[in-house]
C-alpha cells in the first residue's frame, strides 16, 4: 500500500533492494536504508511491525471499545504505557480528512461528559466537557454521526461545528437553544423543535440523545468513567469510527481504512501524545480550527 508502484524510496532512483534481517529496505546501489514505518505513527517503534498489524486488527474489529489494558493483554506487552501510547496513536488515525459531510435530516445537540453537576449551556462548567453531536436521521434509523469537543455551547462553537460537518442544503434539527439562533437559513433548513414538557427531553431529537447516552456508556464501560478531557476527542474519534461502520459487513474494510490512515500519518513523539499538543494539527481538527 505504501509503494503501489514498487520500491522507490531512494534518492538515487534505483529500484532494486534487499531486505535486511531487521526488515529494512536497502538500495542495492547506494545502500540507503528505508523502514516502512518511517515517518508514520509507527516511526521509532521498537516492536516488530507485525505487532502493529495485530493492534490495528483488534482495534478495528472489536465491536466494543478497546482500552490500554485490553491491548496490553492481547499483545503481551510488559508495559501498560506502551499499550496506552499505541492506542492513542491509533485513535488519531480514525478520522479521514476528506470524509463526506452528513446530509439529509440531521439532528444537532450538545451534551456534557464528566463532573458531578449537570452542565450549563451558557458557559463552560466545572469538571465537565461539552460535546457537540450531529446525527443523521434516516426515518427512525440513525445514519452517520459526528462528535466534537467544544469549549462551550455558544453560537461561536456550535455554528462552525455545523458548517464543518453538515452538507449545505441539509435539514438541521435543533432545540430552541439560542446558540443555534444565528444558523444561516440560506445554507440550511433550520427546524427548531420545542419540547412539550421540561422532563421529556427524549421526545425531541431522539437520535442525538440516544447517541449521547451511548457515548456516556462507552466512557463508563471502556474507560471505567475515567478520562482525561485532553484525550476525549481521541475517544470520540474512535467511537465515531466504530459507530459509522457498525453495519459494515466487511471488517476487512475497516482494517484497510486504518492501514491507509496510518500510512499517511506523521511521526509523533510520546511527549506530543502525552500533552496532546499536536491533536489540532491532525487533518480533521485542523479543518475545524480554521473554520
Ligand atoms: Zn539508491
Amino acid at each position: 500500500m505504501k509503494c503501489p508502484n514498487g520500491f522507490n524510496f531512494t534518492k538515487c532512483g534505483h529500484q532494486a533492494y534487499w531486505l535486511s534481517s531487521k526488515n529494512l529496505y536497502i538500495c542495492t546501489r547506494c545502500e540507503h536504508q528505508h523502514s516502512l514505518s518511517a515517518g508514520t505513527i509507527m516511526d521509532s517503534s521498537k516492536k516488530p511491525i507485525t505487532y502493529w498489524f495485530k493492534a490495528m486488527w483488534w482495534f478495528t474489529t472489536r465491536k466494543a471499545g478497546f482500552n490500554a489494558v485490553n491491548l496490553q493483554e492481547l499483545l503481551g506487552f510488559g508495559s501498560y504505557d506502551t499499550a496506552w501510547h499505541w492506542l492513542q496513536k491509533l485513535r488519531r488515525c480514525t478520522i479521514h480528512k476528506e470524509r463526506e459531510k452528513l446530509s439529509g435530516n440531521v439532528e444537532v445537540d450538545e451534551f456534557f461528559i464528566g463532573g458531578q453537576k449537570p452542565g450549563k449551556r451558557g458557559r463552560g462548567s466545572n469538571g465537565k466537557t461539552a460535546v457537540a453531536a450531529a446525527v443523521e436521521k434516516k426515518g427512525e434509523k440513525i445514519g452517520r454521526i459526528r462528535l466534537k469537543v467544544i469549549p462551550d455551547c455558544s453560537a461561536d462553537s456550535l455554528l462552525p461545528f455545523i458548517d464543518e460537518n453538515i452538507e449545505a442544503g441539509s435539514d438541521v434539527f435543533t432545540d430552541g437553544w439560542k446558540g443555534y439562533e444565528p444558523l444561516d437559513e440560506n445554507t440550511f433548513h433550520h427546524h427548531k423543535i420545542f419540547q412539550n414538557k421540561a422532563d421529556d427531553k427524549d421526545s425531541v431529537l431522539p437520535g442525538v440523545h440516544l447517541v449521547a447516552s451511548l457515548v456516556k456508556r462507552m466512557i463508563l464501560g471502556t474507560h471505567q468513567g475515567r478520562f482525561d478531557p485532553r484525550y476525549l476527542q481521541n475517544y470520540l474519534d474512535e467511537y465515531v469510527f466504530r459507530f459509522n461502520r457498525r453495519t459494515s459487513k466487511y471488517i476487512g474494510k475497516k482494517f484497510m481504512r486504518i492501514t491507509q490512515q496510518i500510512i499517511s500519518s506523521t511521526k509523533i513523539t510520546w511527549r506530543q501524545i502525552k500533552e496532546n499538543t499536536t491533536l489540532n494539527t491532525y487533518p480533521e481538527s485542523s479543518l475545524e480550527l480554521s473554520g
Side-chain angles (χ1 to χ4, degrees):
M1 213 182 264
K2 189 164 182 180
C3 41
N5 301 315
F7 177 77
N8 59 351
F9 296 122
T10 55
K11 286 179 186 142
C12 81
H14 200 59
Q15 290 209 313
Y17 64 90
W18 74 82
L19 205 53
S20 80
S21 58
K22 289 182 174 171
N23 286 318
L24 293 172
Y25 288 72
I26 301 170
C27 175
T28 55
R29 189 156 70 193
C30 67
E31 301 197 358
H32 169 91
Q33 298 187 350
H34 187 87
S35 151
L36 274 185
S37 56
T40 73
I41 58 160
M42 301 180 287
D43 199 313
S44 312
S45 173
K46 291 185 180 63
K47 304 280 186 200
I49 202 168
T50 45
Y51 277 68
W52 279 97
F53 280 114
K54 283 182 187 174
M56 286 148 63
W57 179 257
W58 278 314
F59 181 79
T60 49
T61 56
R62 299 229 330 186
K63 276 227 174 70
F66 200 69
N67 63 32
V69 174
N70 301 143
L71 186 64
Q72 188 188 1
E73 282 170 2
L74 284 165
L75 291 179
F77 283 175
S79 154
Y80 170 86
D81 254 18
T82 304
W84 186 89
H85 279 88
W86 279 37
L87 260 185
Q88 293 292 354
K89 287 179 170 187
L90 289 173
R91 288 190 182 108
R92 285 160 168 263
C93 292
T94 51
I95 300 296
H96 185 45
K97 59 183 165 189
E98 272 128 34
R99 59 184 181 172
E100 274 178 47
K101 293 180 175 184
L102 307 185
S103 59
N105 293 331
V106 184
E107 295 179 0
V108 179
D109 203 0
E110 341 79 50
F111 60 94
F112 292 91
I113 292 185
Q116 301 296 320
K117 299 172 191 161
K120 283 193 199 117
R121 291 175 114 178
R123 58 197 69 177
S125 15
N126 288 349
K128 286 197 170 292
T129 307
V131 176
V135 173
E136 270 179 349
K137 285 302 294 289
K138 313 244 176 195
E140 291 298 300
K141 287 187 179 154
I142 291 176
R144 295 169 299 157
I145 64 169
R146 292 292 157 78
L147 299 167
K148 190 185 176 210
V149 172
I150 49 174
D152 54 48
C153 302
S154 67
D156 284 347
S157 301
L158 292 168
L159 300 187
F161 170 73
I162 292 175
D163 281 335
E164 284 146 25
N165 290 290
I166 304 177
E167 203 66 63
S170 300
D171 288 82
V172 175
F173 296 78
T174 70
D175 57 20
W177 171 243
K178 64 182 179 193
Y180 300 108
E181 207 62 47
L183 187 64
D184 184 3
E185 302 275 353
N186 294 320
T187 310
F188 301 105
H189 307 286
H190 188 191
H191 305 265
K192 276 175 255 178
I193 317 283
F194 295 94
Q195 64 195 74
N196 296 325
K197 289 174 273 176
D199 59 344
D200 190 21
K201 235 194 158 206
D202 286 342
S203 67
V204 296
L205 309 172
V208 83
H209 289 147
L210 174 66
V211 168
S213 65
L214 290 172
V215 169
K216 288 174 188 172
R217 197 184 302 168
M218 176 273 290
I219 295 290
L220 280 177
T222 310
H223 304 290
Q224 278 87 48
R226 291 190 304 270
F227 75 98
D228 184 327
R230 270 182 302 177
Y231 311 121
L232 182 58
Q233 187 63 55
N234 297 355
Y235 299 144
L236 297 178
D237 288 347
E238 178 189 0
Y239 188 81
V240 168
F241 176 85
R242 248 177 249 293
F243 190 93
N244 287 350
R245 289 164 182 80
R246 69 200 181 282
T247 58
S248 171
K249 290 189 187 80
Y250 309 101
I251 50 174
K253 271 193 179 174
K254 291 193 246 186
F255 181 70
M256 192 180 80
R257 171 63 78 198
I258 277 285
T259 312
Q260 288 169 333
Q261 294 283 100
I262 286 177
I263 285 171
S264 58
S265 68
T266 48
K267 183 180 176 175
I268 180 164
T269 65
W270 278 45
R271 188 180 174 156
Q272 286 170 320
I273 287 196
K274 205 90 192 167
E275 294 170 359
N276 225 3
T277 46
T278 61
L279 183 63
N280 291 334
T281 68
Y282 270 72
E284 188 69 17
S285 303
S286 61
L287 285 178
E288 284 167 2
L289 271 191
S290 63

